[in-house]
Amino acid sequence: MNTHWTSRLGFILAAAGSAIGLGAIWKFPYTAGTNGGAVFFLIFLLFTVLVGLPVLLAEFYIGRKTGKNAIDALKELSPNQTAWAWIGRVGVFGCFVLLSFYSVVGGWVLAYFVHAVSGSLNASTNYEQLFGATISNPAQAIAYQAVFMLITIWVVRKGISEGIEKANRYMMPALFIMFIILAIRSLTLPNAMAGISFLLKPDFSAVTANTLLTALGQAFFALSLGVSTMATYAAYLDRKSDLFRSANSIMWMNMAVSLLAGLVIFPAVFAFNFKPDAGPGLIFMVLPAVFQKMPLGTILFAVFMILVTFATLTSAFSMLETVIAATIRGDQSKRAKHTWGIGIAILIIGIPSALSFGAMADVKLFGKTIFDLWDFVITSLIMPICALATTVFIGYVQNRSQVWAHIREGSSLPEMVVRIWYGALRYIAPIAILLVFANTLGWIKF
């Protein structure tokens, strides 16, 4: 079994798939919609470049430098300070929990594919009611979540080159093509310019502390940072790979899909009189309406939901792979058994999240449903803590000259670029992360 990427493109598409997933397609539109649209997008872009990219490269360093899973990699890089391995342990735990509720949303995507092919979507459908009925049906929620997890397990058990890389090589280009077609159609809808202005014409008077902090949190989520996935994927890279070019490609692909998702969603929001702050169900209410305005719309919607399923799965692959890599520790003979066992465990743990919109909607911990609680724990606690620890570990604990030398392997970039990256990692990223975390816990208020 090949345990390395067969090409740089394969790695970029897989890592971009991990980053894009539902972060760009599902979460970006509704977080932008509830935080001012264009001004949120602009701040998100700045944070992604100034904070997300430096942390992404730091995770790449951890993985490729050692060629090991996240926990063992950190142990090797800090042989006399093994406490740093907790960055990897917490990240692996974060992936386990994240996939347990992420797979619920993946199930929603599969459900909408079934809605499309069954003919239950038409011009008279009330899409808000349909979404509510879809996520509140206990049997359907668990069944679709289970199917989503079984697909994820089936691919990851085959390993890197034969499973994850091969799947992404076809999924990601197809997704881009379909998004471009959709964006063109959405831009020709009546009143589309109102949606374009909402996405691309910033109103700086709408900026609040929450806008800044939510944009930074989205930058973490969108690049899969703080849960060791990028360190795990980078462990399968050879020394000839250009880490800077790969990181830039992944970041800009993620931004491109986020922009395309906005160009699909927001013109349609205003054309069909939806509310841009409709929340997590936004794409499930808006996209069916867009397709109903297109020739062969039902068929095209089914095709599109397959592609969204692909994008969702690419993120799921990276989460499960991070956990599997940490448990098999390079012994590929254990992969299939561990993948099935851990995958089923994640499915079971995720059942309460699947029921959080129906049978267990009234079950709350700390004032949150199970789904919302896990979302808060991962995106507001684990991601910023692990991202901050990574910046400190690479920026202050590791030997600077060794970090610089390894980062430049396979790259022809001048040393000045490395200096800028290292400065951002040491100063800009930690300060920004600390502000997010402190505000989340209520230690400071802006």
Side-chain angles (χ1 to χ4, degrees):
M1 181 181 292
N2 191 341
T3 58
H4 287 79
W5 305 109
T6 61
S7 68
R8 174 175 172 267
L9 177 62
F11 165 69
I12 289 174
L13 289 175
S18 170
I20 290 168
L22 289 182
I25 298 172
W26 168 64
K27 197 165 188 178
F28 171 77
Y30 87 76
T31 52
T34 55
N35 288 278
V39 72
F40 175 87
F41 181 51
L42 177 61
I43 297 168
F44 165 62
L45 174 62
L46 292 174
F47 279 147
T48 301
V49 174
L50 296 176
V51 180
L53 182 61
V55 177
L56 176 61
L57 277 164
E59 290 202 13
F60 280 178
Y61 169 84
I62 292 170
R64 193 181 72 168
K65 176 73 173 177
T66 61
K68 295 182 177 180
N69 68 81
I71 299 172
D72 289 340
L74 287 155
K75 286 182 179 178
E76 180 176 313
L77 292 173
S78 56
N80 300 318
Q81 298 172 297
T82 54
W84 289 106
W86 278 100
I87 301 174
R89 293 189 184 101
V90 175
V92 170
F93 170 77
C95 276
F96 185 97
V97 173
L98 178 55
L99 185 52
S100 75
F101 71 84
Y102 183 95
S103 59
V104 174
V105 185
W108 299 348
V109 174
L110 288 175
Y112 267 71
F113 166 70
V114 174
H115 287 329
V117 298
S118 66
S120 60
L121 298 175
N122 53 61
S124 62
T125 301
N126 184 315
Y127 298 113
E128 293 185 39
Q129 289 183 1
L130 177 63
F131 178 68
T134 299
I135 66 176
S136 63
N137 184 304
Q140 286 189 16
I142 294 174
Y144 285 120
Q145 179 198 17
V147 172
F148 182 86
M149 279 304 305
L150 289 174
I151 297 171
T152 302
I153 292 167
W154 184 259
V155 172
V156 173
R157 73 179 182 84
K158 293 186 175 182
I160 292 298
S161 62
E162 290 303 311
I164 297 172
E165 182 176 353
K166 186 174 290 186
N168 279 281
R169 191 176 290 274
Y170 299 102
M171 291 176 182
M172 296 313 297
L175 181 69
F176 268 99
I177 293 170
M178 181 59 84
F179 253 123
I180 291 171
I181 294 171
L182 266 182
I184 293 171
R185 177 63 186 109
S186 192
L187 292 172
T188 61
L189 293 170
N191 202 31
M193 285 306 300
I196 296 172
S197 295
F198 181 78
L199 179 65
L200 299 179
K201 187 177 180 181
D203 176 10
F204 290 98
S205 66
V207 176
T208 65
N210 188 65
T211 306
L212 296 170
L213 300 171
T214 305
L216 184 53
Q218 176 65 17
F220 289 148
F221 191 90
L223 289 176
S224 299
L225 300 177
V227 285
S228 301
T229 55
M230 291 305 179
T232 300
Y233 269 13
Y236 302 119
L237 281 173
D238 59 40
R239 296 299 181 93
K240 297 178 182 179
S241 300
D242 187 329
L243 294 184
F244 270 95
R245 288 182 61 191
S246 296
N248 271 286
S249 298
I250 292 163
M251 180 187 70
W252 290 114
M253 286 175 70
N254 179 65
M255 295 303 303
V257 173
S258 296
L259 176 61
L260 284 172
L263 290 176
V264 170
I265 296 296
F266 292 116
V269 164
F270 287 88
F272 299 125
N273 296 316
F274 287 105
K275 295 180 179 180
D277 59 352
L282 186 62
I283 71 166
F284 298 101
M285 292 181 280
V286 174
L287 288 179
V290 175
F291 278 97
Q292 289 302 320
K293 298 294 183 180
M294 300 172 66
L296 303 175
T298 300
I299 296 173
L300 290 176
F301 182 65
V303 173
F304 179 73
M305 292 314 295
I306 292 176
L307 297 177
V308 174
T309 301
F310 287 169
T312 309
L313 285 167
T314 55
S315 293
F317 297 159
S318 68
M319 296 174 208
L320 185 54
E321 176 62 26
T322 299
V323 182
I324 299 305
T327 60
I328 66 174
R329 304 184 71 177
D331 185 353
Q332 296 300 321
S333 66
K334 298 178 179 177
R335 174 174 286 274
K337 181 179 179 180
H338 281 232
T339 303
W340 279 107
I342 292 170
I344 296 301
I346 291 172
L347 170 61
I348 294 171
I349 295 297
I351 288 175
S353 294
L355 299 177
S356 291
F357 302 89
M360 295 182 66
D362 295 328
V363 177
K364 296 187 177 181
L365 297 173
F366 306 103
K368 299 179 184 295
T369 64
I370 302 298
F371 183 97
D372 289 338
L373 179 63
W374 282 136
D375 189 12
F376 175 81
V377 168
I378 298 301
T379 59
S380 297
L381 298 178
I382 287 180
M383 282 184 166
I385 289 173
C386 289
L388 175 62
T390 300
T391 65
V392 173
F393 181 68
I394 302 301
Y396 293 93
V397 176
Q398 292 291 284
N399 180 276
R400 182 177 68 175
S401 60
Q402 291 182 6
V403 172
W404 286 21
H406 183 80
I407 284 290
R408 294 185 71 189
E409 278 192 50
S411 174
S412 58
L413 288 172
E415 185 175 301
M416 180 57 66
V417 175
V418 181
R419 287 179 179 272
I420 294 172
W421 162 72
Y422 196 70
L425 183 72
R426 282 171 61 93
Y427 304 112
I428 298 175
I431 291 172
I433 294 168
L434 279 171
L435 290 174
V436 170
F437 191 59
N439 183 267
T440 298
L441 295 182
W443 294 347
I444 58 173
K445 293 293 183 182
F446 299 99

